Amino acid sequence: IGAAMGITGTEVAKEASDMVLLDDNFATIVSAVEEGRTIYSNIRKSIEFLLSCNTGEIITIFTAILFGLGSPLTPIQILWMNLVTDGFPALALGLEPAEKGVMKKPPRNPKEGVFAGGVGRDIVIQGTYIGLISLASYWMALNWGRTIEEAHTMAFLTMSYSQLVHAFNVRSFEESLFAIGITTNKALVAAFIASALLQVAVIFIPFLRELFETALLRSSDWLVVIALSLST
C-alpha cells in the first residue's frame, strides 16, 4: 500500500496514499499492526467467553425442563449472571496483553470469520460442559432432599463460578494459563475477585438473598459447587 508522511509529506502525497504516518516514523506501522492483531484476538476471546457462557445457560435450562426437573435458574439470576459474571470478565479480556510471538504469525485470511480456528467448536464444547455441571449440581440438590431455593442456589453458584474460572481458559488460543501467568492480566483478576465477592453477597446478605431467591447452603453443598466450578 502507499504510505505518506503526515508532517513533511505534501498534500498531494497524502491524498494519493492509503496510509498517512502522522509522526513520519515507519516503525509506527509495526506497532500499529501489533496493536491491531492484539485487539482482534481479544475480541475473539471475549466472543468465545460470552457465547460459551450463554450456551451453558441455555443447555442447563433446556435440559432440565426437558426432563421435567423445572428451571434450575430464575429470571433474575440469569440477568445477574449476564450483567456480572459474564460482563466484567468479558470486558477484562479486552485488556489482555499481546501474546508472545504475535508478530511472527502470518497475516490472517481477510475472509476468515471470528469463529475460525476452532473457536466455534470450543464454544459448543465449553458451553456444554458448563451447562452439564450446573445441571448436575441442581440434580444432586434435588436428590439430596434440598429445598427448591437451595437447588436453585447450587445451580446458580456453580454456573456463576464456573464461568468466572472459564474466563481464564480463553486468555490464549495457543498457550496454557500457567505459561502466560495467572496475574499477567490484572484487570481479569480484579474482575474475578469482584464478581466472586458479589456472588457471595447475594447469598449471605438477607435482603439480596430474598431479592435473588437464593438460600444459605450447607458446607457439603459448597464443596460440590467449588469442586464442579474448578473442574472447568
Side-chain angles (χ1 to χ4, degrees):
I1 63 174
M5 300 298 180
I7 299 175
T8 59
T10 63
E11 291 301 319
V12 174
K14 294 177 186 178
E15 292 179 4
S17 65
D18 300 293
M19 178 189 296
V20 178
L21 300 175
L22 298 181
D23 59 359
D24 287 9
N25 186 355
F26 278 101
T28 302
I29 298 176
V30 179
S31 300
V33 171
E34 181 178 6
E35 184 69 18
R37 289 186 173 191
T38 302
I39 291 173
Y40 181 74
S41 177
N42 289 348
I43 290 174
R44 295 183 70 203
K45 293 170 185 176
S46 296
I47 290 174
E48 179 180 344
F49 171 72
L50 288 172
L51 291 185
S52 58
C53 290
N54 290 336
T55 300
E57 293 170 14
I58 292 171
I59 288 175
T60 301
I61 296 172
F62 177 79
T63 306
I65 294 176
L66 183 65
F67 286 94
L69 299 176
S71 178
L73 301 167
T74 65
I76 194 170
Q77 290 171 353
I78 297 172
L79 179 61
W80 173 263
M81 286 190 294
N82 288 334
L83 290 175
V84 178
T85 57
D86 289 358
F88 291 166
L91 292 173
L93 285 170
L95 302 176
E96 185 70 26
E99 295 188 39
K100 297 177 182 178
V102 65
M103 293 300 289
K104 295 181 180 180
K105 299 178 182 178
R108 66 178 179 84
N109 188 337
K111 297 181 180 180
E112 182 182 89
V114 294
F115 298 109
V119 172
R121 176 202 62 215
D122 291 342
I123 288 173
V124 174
I125 295 174
Q126 295 160 356
T128 301
Y129 185 76
I130 291 173
L132 291 179
I133 62 174
S134 300
L135 182 61
S137 66
Y138 178 70
W139 179 83
M140 283 188 285
L142 293 178
N143 277 269
W144 290 343
R146 305 293 192 262
T147 65
I148 190 64
E149 289 79 12
E150 290 174 319
H152 282 159
T153 303
M154 285 188 67
F156 178 44
L157 288 175
T158 303
M159 175 73 73
S160 300
Y161 285 135
S162 62
Q163 289 177 352
L164 293 177
V165 172
H166 176 52
F168 289 89
N169 293 334
V170 299
R171 286 188 55 197
S172 176
F173 294 116
E174 298 176 356
E175 295 184 294
S176 69
L177 176 62
F178 301 103
I180 61 178
I182 296 177
T183 60
T184 48
N185 186 343
K186 292 180 173 56
L188 183 57
V189 174
F192 177 89
I193 294 173
S195 298
L197 291 177
L198 286 171
Q199 286 299 122
V200 172
V202 167
I203 306 301
F204 287 99
I205 298 179
F207 82 91
L208 289 178
R209 185 164 65 241
E210 182 178 352
L211 177 64
F212 287 92
E213 302 174 38
T214 57
L216 294 174
L217 298 180
R218 309 175 194 188
S219 300
S220 58
D221 297 341
W222 274 105
L223 289 175
V224 170
V225 168
I226 294 172
L228 289 174
S229 301
L230 292 177
S231 70
T232 308

